[in-house]
Amino acid sequence: MRWLVGWAGAAASAARDIQPLGAHLLWEGPDPLWAVGDWRPDEIRLVYADGDTHLAVFGHCGADDETLRRSLVSARAGALRQLTTWPGSYTAVARFGRRTVIPADLAGTRPVFHAAWAGGTAYATAALPLADLTEAQLDVAHLAARLACPEAPEAVGDGTPYQGVHRVPPGHALRLREGGSHDVLGYEPATPLVVAAPPVEREAAVAGVRDALVEAVRTRLAAPRHAPARDAGPVPGMGPADRRAARLGPEPAPGVGADLSGGSASATLALLAAGLPGMPGTVYGTGATLAGERLLAVTFNDLTTAGGPGTAAELDRARLIAENPRLHHLVVAGGEEALPYAELESGPLTDEPGPSLVTAARHRHRLAAGSADHLVGHGARHVLDAHPARLADLLLDRRRRHLVRPVTALAKASGGGSRAMLVPFTVYRAARRLARTPYPEGLTSAAGVLRGTFDEAGATDGALGASLSALAWCRPGPAARWLTGEALAEVSVRLEAVAARPRGGATTGRPGQQLARAALARQAADHRVFEQAAEVRHQRLHAPFYDNQVVRACQALPESLRVQPGARADVLRAVLTGAGVRGLPPGWGATTHAWHTDSVRSGLRTYVSDVVGLFDAPLLADAGLVEARVVRKAVRAAAQGEPLPLDGLAELVGTEIWLRRLLTRRGSCWTAEGNRDPRAVTSGVTP
């Protein structure tokens, strides 16, 4: 895990005695900044302007030094947004004398955390180091809120699993002043609440998405090529291959590669990376490449669900796309060892819990065959697709005719008969109710639902059920049904407290916009956990759809375009056409998530004994969040095929795994003369 840390206004003695373990000092003085972890040399850039004004950029940024310097001068005058407008994915730290500004990204994959310490404020891009620094305890109430209402910022707030460690919301920046005081302020222009902004023309909006995606991919291709480090030296009794396998495990291929799952998002990135001019991602002669092949494309073939129609269709599309002579296609097969819930006992400690912990072994199996810089299509669905609540935004704008096609698609998806005839009226009533419901009233209603009784069946009724449940200001998460009554009551009190505030319960946007931002932030946080849990040594994962400029371009798409069925595939097809890529295979852009559900259920059925064993004496029960007997019963029922929400079980299992790894952790992120207890964050849970 790589992170940066610094502080402002801390007591001189504390700042002098405590330093991050294995850190590289970037700024000296009373407000220092360190980079910690295996950062590459090209992932850290320092730019200096006049006076005591300088900038550190961590990650992959496509701007040159002169552009960074101009943006730094503009940010010093108050235009903080200028620190987030460069192509790529990065974290910027700007220092203006004794003032320091650190903006978080728009999605949430590049978060910023802060905590009060030694009379000042410490900040970092990871929460666990700050918990070590402040000797924070585990925040059980925050874990309950994450499980009960994961997409509700009102329930989770700006907290983290560690008490006293706070998160800067996406689209905001942390500003530190001399003396250690701080504030959090938004850097994006405010959206009008009553009158919608003038919509961007469809062609111009799609062109903006195309330009942003092309620039995002070009930024990755323009970076220096990397290869796994060579063997460090001889070891008695072991050959070079044995030493590499023992010390490093699987090594990625040199250069740049991409996923090629057969879906529209990964295929778009792979085709763009293979077709852009310049140095190829995969250099000829490495990784068994042939002449003319510019990019390594990796497809995962799940042998446990090979007979499913969804899997077969995606593999066929991936094979047809890979006939492009610029792509070097590699198919990675996985059996039971690559199912979800495999190898739950092994894996790194991530900064926060997440459902990706149950599928980490599956993803590592695929990513180990990838490249040192590997492109993935994560985030495309949440930045391009319309959240169901955007139907309420269309009603607020009196654009009812744009509801016809999405409502008709939902009616077809729900099957025929008299039930399908009632779908348009049902969806329209739900959208109108959301549009007319005040924000505080919606939070109060959600608090009442948490104190009620959940439906034991619990499975959403296909696309229609998922859309109807999403047409609310706040809704319980899929894991809420297995939480204890005390935990749910505490979360409901949080929601009612927010609703009762004079201005705290005021909405910051239209229903569709606000709920779409919350869903994106939730998915981006899960992607960050995925990166840490499935990390392969010497490899960097790149998700261009989460880049600031790509998110902004996708936000400019008209709502009337977003809500239409197949909008994501149409936009990405237009992006490829504008970039000169044509001849896409039949069925390109089809959504097939049923095979993913099948693989999750297969993994749960195969490893049901391991999962049940986790809840023989779970730490979640020690914390008062679940009853072990209830969860064990749900796991066995889901493994037998009962229609229970599998994503809710993944949330519970992922949180339990994370707690166990946190409890068994040894060591600390800091080195100092004073003794720092690395187990302080687990004091809220009884082993």
Side-chain angles (χ1 to χ4, degrees):
M1 187 169 67
R2 293 163 297 280
W3 44 282
L4 61 95
V5 64
W7 51 64
S13 58
R16 182 176 57 254
D17 294 341
I18 296 180
Q19 293 184 1
L21 184 64
H24 173 64
L25 180 63
L26 299 178
W27 296 341
E28 298 180 344
D31 303 328
L33 175 66
W34 288 276
V36 186
D38 58 336
W39 292 95
R40 295 170 176 172
D42 58 288
E43 290 177 332
I44 301 178
R45 298 171 60 186
L46 297 177
V47 175
Y48 297 89
D50 56 298
D52 193 11
T53 300
H54 39 278
L55 174 72
V57 181
F58 301 82
H60 298 83
C61 176
D64 56 24
D65 288 353
E66 186 57 35
T67 301
L68 296 179
R69 193 171 290 106
R70 288 196 302 266
S71 300
L72 180 61
V73 174
S74 299
R76 183 175 57 186
L80 301 182
R81 187 175 184 269
Q82 296 299 315
L83 299 176
T84 67
T85 57
W86 316 307
S89 179
Y90 47 82
T91 298
V93 182
R95 182 171 173 180
F96 315 112
R98 293 298 302 276
R99 265 191 314 131
T100 304
V101 175
I102 315 99
D105 66 337
L106 287 175
T109 58
R110 294 277 185 169
V112 177
F113 303 91
H114 61 95
W117 176 70
T121 301
Y123 63 91
T125 54
L128 183 58
L130 294 184
D132 276 350
L133 179 66
T134 60
E135 297 182 349
Q137 297 183 6
L138 190 70
D139 191 345
V140 176
H142 177 83
L143 292 179
R146 285 176 63 106
L147 293 172
C149 296
E151 292 185 3
E154 303 80 14
V156 178
D158 66 346
T160 65
Y162 317 100
Q163 291 183 5
V165 180
H166 303 278
R167 179 195 309 268
V168 176
H172 291 68
L174 174 67
R175 182 171 60 185
L176 305 174
R177 300 188 182 92
E178 184 176 0
S181 62
H182 72 276
D183 58 355
V184 176
L185 61 162
Y187 56 76
E188 286 293 284
T191 304
L193 302 181
V194 180
V195 180
V200 182
E201 293 295 332
R202 174 192 172 105
E203 291 76 12
V206 173
V209 174
R210 180 197 65 216
D211 295 342
L213 270 178
V214 169
E215 195 62 31
V217 174
R218 182 180 286 119
T219 296
R220 273 74 177 190
L221 292 176
R225 297 290 182 266
H226 293 275
R230 293 184 177 274
D231 194 276
V235 177
M238 297 180 66
D242 296 330
R243 294 198 301 270
R244 282 194 297 270
R247 297 179 65 249
L248 303 179
E251 293 182 350
V256 182
D259 271 355
L260 184 58
S261 65
S264 57
S266 63
T268 298
L269 297 179
L271 291 173
L272 287 177
L276 288 176
M279 188 169 70
T282 301
V283 182
Y284 172 61
T286 62
T289 57
L290 302 176
E293 295 177 339
R294 298 174 55 87
L295 191 81
L296 174 64
V298 179
T299 299
F300 180 70
N301 182 12
D302 189 351
L303 299 180
T304 62
T305 58
T311 305
E314 288 214 351
L315 287 175
D316 288 342
R317 285 194 293 271
R319 178 180 54 81
L320 292 174
I321 294 172
E323 291 179 356
N324 187 323
R326 292 170 174 258
L327 294 176
H328 178 71
H329 195 210
L330 178 63
V331 179
V332 179
E336 289 188 355
E337 76 283 354
L339 280 172
Y341 294 97
E343 301 181 21
L344 294 180
E345 298 298 330
S346 63
L349 172 64
T350 56
D351 195 39
E352 296 179 280
S356 298
L357 292 176
V358 304
T359 58
R362 178 182 182 87
H363 292 299
R364 279 196 299 268
H365 183 76
R366 167 178 58 89
L367 295 173
S371 299
D373 289 278
H374 199 73
L375 297 168
V376 295
H378 296 183
R381 183 163 63 90
H382 285 81
V383 300
L384 285 172
D385 288 5
H387 192 282
R390 289 190 182 272
L391 298 177
D393 291 358
L394 293 176
L395 288 180
L396 288 174
D397 296 338
R398 301 183 181 276
R399 292 187 284 174
R400 296 180 179 87
R401 62 185 180 88
H402 295 294
L403 274 66
V404 175
R405 287 187 59 193
V407 170
T408 303
L410 286 175
K412 292 181 179 179
S414 62
S418 59
R419 181 184 179 187
M421 297 177 60
L422 298 177
V423 168
F425 303 100
T426 304
V427 176
Y428 180 82
R429 283 198 304 267
R432 184 177 62 177
R433 182 166 55 250
L434 174 60
R436 295 182 176 182
T437 301
Y439 186 56
E441 182 180 330
L443 296 182
T444 304
S445 176
V449 171
L450 289 176
R451 289 194 295 267
T453 303
F454 289 95
D455 179 16
E456 283 299 325
T460 55
D461 186 12
L464 176 60
S467 298
L468 291 177
S469 64
L471 286 169
W473 276 113
C474 184
R475 56 173 174 162
R481 70 189 62 258
W482 295 300
L483 298 184
T484 60
E486 293 80 0
L488 293 175
E490 187 170 353
V491 178
S492 68
V493 170
R494 283 192 175 201
L495 294 177
E496 290 177 338
V498 174
R501 295 173 189 168
R503 297 187 61 84
T507 176
T508 58
R510 301 154 70 80
Q513 293 175 344
Q514 180 168 337
L515 294 175
R517 283 198 301 267
L520 174 61
R522 165 67 175 173
Q523 189 66 24
D526 289 344
H527 173 77
R528 180 170 175 265
V529 175
F530 158 79
E531 281 187 306
Q532 298 171 4
E535 183 178 18
V536 176
R537 190 177 177 92
H538 302 307
Q539 186 181 69
R540 298 290 189 269
L541 295 183
H542 302 269
F545 285 100
Y546 285 126
D547 289 3
N548 284 338
Q549 291 301 80
V550 177
V551 171
R552 287 191 178 102
C554 293
Q555 288 175 345
L557 291 171
E559 290 178 349
S560 57
L561 170 63
R562 283 176 174 270
V563 300
Q564 305 309 320
R568 186 201 329 166
D570 292 341
V571 171
L572 293 180
R573 185 180 290 107
V575 167
L576 291 175
T577 301
V581 179
R582 295 175 176 82
L584 298 174
W588 186 85
T591 55
T592 54
H593 298 292
W595 65 269
H596 174 71
T597 303
D598 293 341
S599 66
V600 173
R601 197 175 297 278
S602 297
L604 190 59
R605 185 166 52 249
T606 303
Y607 299 101
V608 62
S609 59
D610 296 341
V611 179
V612 171
L614 285 175
F615 291 93
D616 285 339
L619 297 176
L620 286 173
D622 294 338
L625 298 183
V626 301
E627 292 185 10
R629 174 185 55 83
V630 174
V631 179
R632 290 197 298 267
K633 179 182 177 182
V635 170
R636 293 191 183 99
Q640 294 172 2
E642 292 192 19
L644 293 173
L646 298 180
D647 48 352
L649 285 177
E651 290 275 4
L652 287 179
V653 175
T655 305
E656 176 67 23
I657 294 171
W658 180 80
L659 285 173
R660 288 171 179 256
R661 293 176 183 174
L662 185 66
L663 191 65
T664 57
R665 175 174 176 253
R666 295 294 181 266
S668 174
C669 297
W670 301 87
T671 177
E673 295 179 359
N675 181 26
R676 311 203 62 75
D677 184 3
R679 295 169 295 175
V681 295
T682 64
S683 58
V685 177
T686 304

